[in-house]
Amino acid sequence: SQTIHQWPATLVQPVGSPLSLECTVEGTSNPNLYWYRQAAGRGLQLLFYSVGIGQISSEVPQNLSASRPQDRQFILSSKKLLLSDSGFYLCAWSVRGAEAFFGQGTRLTVV
Amino acid sequence: DQQVKQNSPSLSVQEGRISILNCDYTNSMFDYFLWYKKYPAEGPTFLISISSIKDKNEDGRFTVFLNKSAKHLSLHIVPSQPGDSAVYFCAASAGGNNDMRFGAGTRLTVKP
């Protein structure tokens, strides 16, 4: 069966520090991978999605970047965090034309 | 640009009654629609979906209706149970590309 791992579960980082959130998927090949953010009181905002290794589509200009160094690994990064980067970050995977499956999320607080 | 909209941030219903959650979209290229359920501090879980070639899909207590001409879909839960209390997100994608867009969510509270 397929599983998705996302870590860490919670993170408190100072403004200006770097960020690296990692997501890995098991049990499937060549999945679509996604990073979403849920800000307080808001819906799920698509940040990045990837249809293959090294292929990243960015939806919103921002302080974040994503990379897909391996087929089932998706990394969300920032060189310098802003207060506005606080939120609940979710990694997800899907096969084309089907529903997405989400990780447990990372609660990021930038202080 | 909010392509998927859930205009009701919250909904409260009595146990045993019907819950109706609504969703509107603007992109006519969307051809696959989904509903997700989310509990606090967890990732959303898939609930039910519908393809644009259908106007109704039913799974147990959950039914999704799609009105393409109105660009509107709804999720019906009947009978509602207290365990259904969660935030429900509507999502849509186009052409199998899976850049799935979500609405802002509706918090459903089912009172015993």
Side-chain angles (χ1 to χ4, degrees):
Chain A
S1 63
Q2 301 89 357
T3 56
I4 180 169
H5 303 279
Q6 183 183 343
W7 67 91
T10 60
L11 192 59
V12 180
Q13 292 283 99
V15 169
S17 64
L19 173 73
S20 181
L21 302 181
E22 188 163 346
C23 173
T24 59
V25 180
E26 296 177 358
T28 186
S29 296
N30 197 28
N32 287 352
L33 296 173
Y34 311 86
W35 280 108
Y36 288 89
R37 176 172 60 199
Q38 184 183 17
R42 300 184 65 181
L44 293 169
Q45 181 186 32
L46 179 63
L47 302 176
F48 301 95
Y49 71 96
S50 170
V51 297
I53 295 175
Q55 300 178 61
I56 309 294
S57 296
S58 175
E59 290 299 305
V60 181
Q62 58 209 324
N63 187 41
L64 302 168
S65 62
S67 61
R68 185 170 178 174
Q70 300 180 46
D71 181 44
R72 289 169 287 180
Q73 184 185 28
F74 206 23
I75 299 172
L76 182 69
S77 305
S78 173
K79 292 182 179 179
K80 289 185 179 181
L81 284 169
L82 306 172
L83 287 174
S84 58
D85 292 324
S86 294
F88 190 55
Y89 289 82
L90 288 154
C91 178
W93 73 272
S94 74
V95 294
R96 286 157 189 79
E99 66 272 19
F101 297 91
F102 286 81
Q104 288 298 295
T106 297
R107 170 72 59 193
L108 172 66
T109 304
V110 182
V111 296
Chain B
D1 177 27
Q2 195 72 16
Q3 298 184 45
V4 180
K5 300 179 182 179
Q6 292 175 258
N7 293 318
S8 298
S10 63
L11 174 67
S12 181
V13 301
Q14 205 66 35
E15 180 178 8
R17 308 295 288 269
I18 186 170
S19 296
I20 300 177
L21 298 105
N22 293 303
C23 178
D24 298 290
Y25 61 96
T26 58
N27 188 345
S28 59
M29 298 302 292
F30 286 146
D31 58 5
Y32 189 58
F33 305 89
L34 311 93
W35 284 94
Y36 287 81
K37 179 180 179 180
K38 184 182 181 302
Y39 294 113
E42 294 184 7
T45 54
F46 170 73
L47 197 57
I48 193 169
S49 64
I50 188 167
S51 164
S52 60
I53 62 173
K54 294 185 175 181
D55 55 17
K56 177 182 175 182
N57 188 27
E58 188 172 354
D59 183 3
R61 296 185 297 114
F62 302 91
T63 302
V64 55
F65 295 93
L66 176 62
N67 183 334
K68 289 187 291 294
S69 61
K71 293 191 178 65
H72 177 84
L73 65 155
S74 60
L75 174 68
H76 294 210
I77 307 173
V78 57
S80 301
Q81 300 173 354
D84 295 329
S85 297
V87 176
Y88 288 79
F89 288 98
C90 169
S93 65
N97 289 331
N98 287 133
D99 51 337
M100 201 169 297
R101 308 297 171 133
F102 283 80
T106 297
R107 181 177 299 279
L108 173 66
T109 303
V110 180
K111 299 179 179 179

